Amino acid sequence: MPSSPPQREQLVSALSAPALALPQLRSGQMAVIEAVEGRAEVCQCLSVLGLTTGTCIRVLMGGAPCAVEVGDSRVVLRGEHARAVRVTPLD
C-alpha cells in the first residue's frame, strides 16, 4: 500500500537533520534522498531504479541488505548500493 506523501512541515524539518546512510534507518521510516555517492556504476544503477536526489522513500526492511519503496516500486539493495544512498529521515 503506497504511503501518503510527506507534509511540507516534515520536509522543512528534515532539511536541518544530518544525512544518514540508508542502512541506518528502521523499517517503516520515510526519508528523502539527499545524495547518492560511490562508484559511477553504483550511482547509475541506483538512478535507473529511481533512487535519485530529492526522491521520497519508505524503508520496508532496514539494514544491509535493505528494501525500500520508491513510488509504486519496491527495491532491494545490497550493502554497497545501500550505503551509497544518503538520506534524511522524515519521522
Side-chain angles (χ1 to χ4, degrees), residues 17-64:
L20 305 171
L22 179 56
Q24 293 179 268
L25 298 185
R26 298 178 316 274
S27 297
Q29 278 189 289
M30 292 189 68
V32 173
I33 297 175
E34 296 296 330
V36 179
E37 306 170 338
R39 295 182 298 124
E41 303 84 30
V42 171
C43 293
Q44 177 63 28
C45 177
L46 294 170
S47 177
V48 168
L49 294 171
L51 296 163
T52 57
T53 301
T55 301
C56 186
I57 61 171
R58 184 169 63 99
V59 178
L60 302 173
M61 180 181 78

Side-chain angles (χ1 to χ4, degrees), residues 3-17 28-32 34 56 88-91:
S3 53
S4 61
Q7 299 298 317
R8 178 174 167 68
E9 297 80 32
Q10 288 177 301
L11 293 172
V12 170
S13 68
L15 294 175
S16 61
Q29 278 189 289
M30 292 189 68
V32 173
E34 296 296 330
C56 186
T88 300
L90 294 177
D91 47 5

Side-chain angles (χ1 to χ4, degrees), residues 56-76:
C56 186
I57 61 171
R58 184 169 63 99
V59 178
L60 302 173
M61 180 181 78
C66 67
V68 297
E69 187 174 74
V70 184
D72 293 332
S73 300
R74 293 179 178 187
V75 178
V76 177

